[in-house]
Amino acid sequence: MRAEASKEETKKTKRVLVTDHISEEGIRKLKEFAEVDIELELSKEELKRCIAGYDALIVRSGTKVTKEIIEAGSDGKLKVIGRAGVGVDNIDVVTATERGIMVVNAPEANTISAAEHTIAMLLSLSRKIPTANMSLKSGKWERKKHMGVEVNDKVLGIIGLGRVGSEVAKRAKGLGMKVVAYDPFISAERARELGIVLSSFTEVLSIADFISLHTPLTKDTHHLIGGKEFELMKDGVRVINCARGGIIDEGALEVALKSGKVAGAALDVFEHEPPGENELLGMEEVIVTPHLGASTEEAQKAAAMVIAEEVIEALKNKTARNAVNMIYVEEELLGALKPYLVLAEKLGRLLAQLIPKSCRVEQFSVSYEGEIGASEAGLGKNTRLITVAMLKSFLSWFTDGVNYVNAEAIAKKFGIKVTESRTEDIENFSSLISVATSLWAEGKGKERKTVAGTLFGKNDPRIVKIDEYRVDASPSGYMLICSFLDKPRVIGPVCMILGDRGINIAGMQVGREKVGGEAVMVLNVDGSVSEETMEEIKGVENIFDVKLVRL
Ligand code: NAD
Ligand code: MLT
């Protein structure tokens, strides 16, 4: 009895805070292990004040888990953030990772519900069901006004052929639709398996009668569909967004609807949720639901159960299956390996931000040189883990739900060939890790991007190569990477522009192949740089390109 009682006491030393509604089944599961507080009305300030007292925070999309909240949590007990759903765009994963807080999600729990909701929106839009319903209930009998269109034989363009996109495609085919899709990370083989034609972004936009969006919301997909894209679409196109608000530029959608270019839109998600005063809500051609894609009993139960299990595993220091940002390695290996894993994550994230938008990644080649490349000896035994760490942080830039367990499988699904090579031979460093991607970019053809890093001392990660250029940059915070022609009056003006904007330069490195040739400049800056400032830097004579990356 005494043993039982003390087991019970240890179980309840953990505290979990739930700030969005999740199913009772998940709450029950959590309560078997921890004390659970459910607080659905907390303000940002209240959450910031209380979070440090909890080991875990569980949210859906309603709670914005910002940098400040994560920092407040990590100054206390917070170890894990659970997202009872797939999208982690409401969580600052970069800060959580930096603070060693695991983020776990339930990527598959609501896929079917989201796909079914998309189909419901597609049919409601084509047959004007919501407006017809309202009209009849208000006493009218308007049969002509609610004339619809068939979906049979129409072209459905899917942007983002991941979990939800694929399920939508299957169902749309069952409705007799012709499905085309754009997804730069999906292999032709995977598309063939689904019986779907993969096309370029512009082709999909220009031939589809209906366009349905299924990408995650990232820096690259923010306003993926704006004025220019609407122009490319067929007159009378209908657009469905059950993915994330922010993928469509709502202002541009409004203009396209008013001009008649877009005949209708079905929106489950909004740039701001709840949307408040939003012109789109008052338009007859627009049908809306309040982020209901995952709102089914089945999906909510599954998401709550998965997230409860994941959070419990994480709090027991076990490997959570759906960890978005953390690795678990046996205790005895961890010490020596950890700095390399940190370096690998930085290299993967850097590379992801340097590759051009809308390109297909064909190969991800990692090479280990020197001590780290000594095959089957010491650390060399663990290069696969380091490769996975790099791949995970690279892929996480483009899709949600990648973790140490599934990174290779996801790369395979996307048609990315991952290779590893090792050699003991090395010059200049004791160990060097390089990663190169072979890319296929729309309108440009084949390209290659390479970054390499090493450790100074035992655990000081450095970026030492970008493409062919030798640099020495500390991979942290914000970095500006500019390629330019090595001539006078380039570096000075760039520094002046930053200085005039009050942006402090914490470090600067220039790498060049030969005097007067192409060169690269890496600036560590103490804060973000606005689009406007980036444009100004791009305007400096002899600058070819500038990228702002966050590591
Ligand atoms: P997923 O990661 O399985 O699929 C996303 C796909 O988008 C991937 O195949 C990726 O390669 C592709 N992609 C990334 N960038 C792209 C780009 N620029 N152009 C084209 N394709 C790109 O994600 P999922 O589980 O299928 O979820 C898809 C979206 O739906 C996410 O935004 C998710 O948050 C959202 N979602 C919403 C609800 C809801 O309640 N409305 C429910 C579930 C999922
Ligand atoms: C998700 O990302 O899983 C969806 O937005 C569903 C949700 O959490 O409501």
Side-chain angles (χ1 to χ4, degrees):
M1 274 306 278
R2 283 182 66 82
E4 277 304 309
S6 77
K7 209 166 122 198
E8 191 65 28
E9 276 154 28
T10 32
K11 269 185 196 170
K12 303 284 181 165
T13 58
K14 303 289 183 200
R15 295 185 70 209
V16 177
L17 175 64
V18 179
T19 57
D20 291 318
H21 176 77
I22 69 164
S23 272
E24 197 45 46
E25 286 86 351
I27 301 286
R28 268 204 299 277
K29 177 100 204 150
L30 285 165
K31 282 185 176 166
E32 288 169 14
F33 175 75
E35 274 191 32
V36 182
D37 290 334
I38 303 167
E39 298 282 354
L40 305 182
E41 303 291 336
L42 286 184
S43 69
K44 207 171 140 185
E45 280 312 309
E46 286 167 334
L47 177 56
K48 197 172 143 189
R49 268 200 302 278
C50 74
I51 189 69
Y54 291 94
D55 301 274
L57 168 67
I58 296 185
V59 301
R60 279 181 64 193
S61 57
T63 305
K64 305 290 168 245
V65 191
T66 59
K67 187 174 168 67
E68 295 79 54
I69 288 167
I70 293 169
E71 284 175 351
S74 76
D75 289 342
K77 308 188 344 162
L78 192 66
K79 298 277 174 307
V80 54
I81 300 166
R83 166 69 167 93
V86 55
V88 288
D89 46 286
N90 56 323
I91 301 171
D92 185 340
V93 179
V94 173
T95 302
T97 308
E98 277 167 11
R99 294 291 183 126
I101 293 171
M102 196 189 318
V103 179
V104 291
N105 68 351
E108 284 154 15
N110 58 32
T111 301
I112 299 297
S113 293
E116 286 184 359
H117 193 70
T118 307
I119 296 293
M121 292 295 254
L122 170 89
L123 291 173
S124 301
L125 186 65
S126 64
R127 302 306 295 268
K128 304 189 176 175
I129 289 173
T131 39
N133 175 63
M134 272 188 340
S135 148
L136 180 53
K137 286 191 170 179
S138 69
K140 296 181 191 141
W141 185 255
E142 301 175 306
R143 297 185 65 209
K144 197 163 168 216
K145 184 175 173 200
H146 298 115
M147 181 73 73
V149 290
E150 287 185 352
V151 298
N152 182 49
D153 252 356
K154 298 282 170 19
V155 177
L156 172 66
I158 292 185
I159 308 290
L161 196 59
R163 286 175 290 255
V164 179
S166 309
E167 293 299 329
V168 168
K170 282 188 210 162
R171 285 156 180 76
K173 279 161 70 83
L175 294 171
M177 299 188 84
K178 295 173 190 142
V179 182
V180 291
Y182 167 69
D183 189 321
F185 308 105
I186 287 286
S187 64
E189 194 188 335
R190 167 77 182 141
R192 245 195 321 275
E193 270 169 31
L194 291 163
I196 291 161
V197 181
L198 270 187
S199 249
S200 71
F201 185 50
T202 48
E203 170 88 353
V204 171
L205 295 185
S206 60
I207 62 171
D209 301 295
F210 291 81
I211 293 175
S212 192
L213 305 173
H214 299 287
T215 70
L217 176 64
T218 63
K219 211 173 141 213
D220 286 344
T221 60
H222 179 252
H223 287 187
L224 184 68
I225 305 294
K228 209 168 77 206
E229 288 70 29
F230 285 122
E231 275 311 305
L232 291 172
M233 294 178 194
K234 262 184 164 177
D235 291 342
V237 65
R238 289 172 172 83
V239 179
I240 300 134
N241 188 6
C242 289
R244 278 293 178 270
I247 300 172
I248 296 186
D249 175 346
E250 288 179 354
L253 174 61
E254 197 188 315
V255 173
L257 281 157
K258 281 183 177 155
S259 72
K261 177 79 190 177
V262 173
L267 308 173
D268 182 45
V269 285
F270 302 87
E271 296 210 49
H272 301 287
E273 292 184 1
E277 289 287 308
N278 184 326
E279 288 267 332
L280 291 170
L281 298 185
M283 299 178 84
E284 223 175 67
E285 306 82 356
V286 179
I287 67 168
V288 291
T289 45
H291 202 145
L292 292 185
S295 295
T296 61
E297 287 168 16
E298 294 84 352
Q300 285 314 307
K301 183 173 166 193
M305 286 304 281
V306 169
I307 216 60
E309 280 159 16
E310 293 289 302
V311 165
I312 292 169
E313 287 298 280
L315 290 179
K316 286 180 178 167
N317 286 331
K318 296 212 179 126
T319 304
R321 199 164 51 93
N322 296 316
V324 173
N325 66 340
M326 287 287 283
I327 187 164
Y328 280 90
V329 193
E330 290 151 51
E331 207 58 41
E332 60 271 22
L333 290 177
L334 201 63
L337 210 55
K338 208 169 172 182
Y340 283 105
L341 295 171
V342 171
L343 172 65
E345 292 231 356
K346 303 262 183 195
L347 286 171
R349 208 178 307 148
L350 173 64
L351 191 62
Q353 293 173 76
L354 289 181
I355 64 174
K357 271 189 183 181
S358 305
C359 65
R360 186 192 303 281
V361 180
E362 293 179 337
Q363 195 154 344
F364 188 90
S365 318
V366 188
S367 71
Y368 296 92
E369 293 166 61
E371 216 175 285
I372 190 78
S375 79
E376 304 309 324
L379 290 174
K381 280 193 294 195
N382 292 295
T383 53
R384 180 158 167 243
L385 198 57
I386 301 172
T387 299
V388 169
M390 209 178 305
L391 195 57
K392 184 200 75 85
S393 72
F394 177 79
L395 293 171
S396 296
W397 201 256
F398 308 104
T399 184
D400 294 322
V402 188
N403 60 32
Y404 283 89
V405 180
N406 63 13
E408 286 169 306
I410 289 179
K412 195 167 172 208
K413 193 177 93 179
F414 287 167
I416 302 174
K417 189 168 173 210
V418 180
T419 64
E420 217 185 89
S421 64
R422 285 188 270 178
T423 170
E424 252 175 285
D425 302 336
I426 191 164
E427 282 173 23
N428 303 328
F429 303 100
S430 57
S431 283
L432 185 72
I433 305 180
S434 314
V435 53
T437 45
S438 306
L439 316 162
W440 192 89
E442 213 177 311
K444 287 191 180 166
K446 288 240 183 231
E447 287 198 18
R448 199 176 154 82
K449 229 353 123 222
T450 310
V451 294
T454 189
L455 292 179
F456 282 6
K458 279 203 161 56
N459 56 13
D460 183 9
R462 294 300 174 105
I463 304 296
V464 294
K465 229 172 156 196
I466 295 177
D467 292 330
E468 298 314 314
Y469 310 108
R470 172 82 173 85
V471 293
D472 169 12
S474 180
S476 62
Y478 290 99
M479 296 166 80
L480 268 184
I481 301 187
C482 319
S483 54
F484 67 103
L485 191 63
D486 181 33
K487 293 223 165 155
R489 290 183 185 278
V490 179
I491 298 174
V494 172
C495 297
M496 287 277 287
I497 291 171
L498 292 170
D500 288 348
R501 300 281 173 281
I503 299 162
N504 194 41
I505 300 171
M508 188 179 95
Q509 274 291 316
V510 176
R512 61 183 184 186
E513 267 195 317
K514 60 176 189 329
V515 178
E518 281 191 28
V520 71
M521 168 173 28
V522 181
L523 296 154
N524 290 88
V525 287
D526 286 342
S528 189
V529 178
S530 68
E531 282 293 329
E532 202 189 343
T533 309
M534 294 286 289
E535 283 307 313
E536 216 178 315
I537 296 174
K538 278 182 200 160
V540 171
E541 198 181 349
N542 290 321
I543 290 266
F544 301 132
D545 192 23
V546 189
K547 285 224 153 65
L548 176 69
V549 299
R550 188 181 173 197
L551 296 179

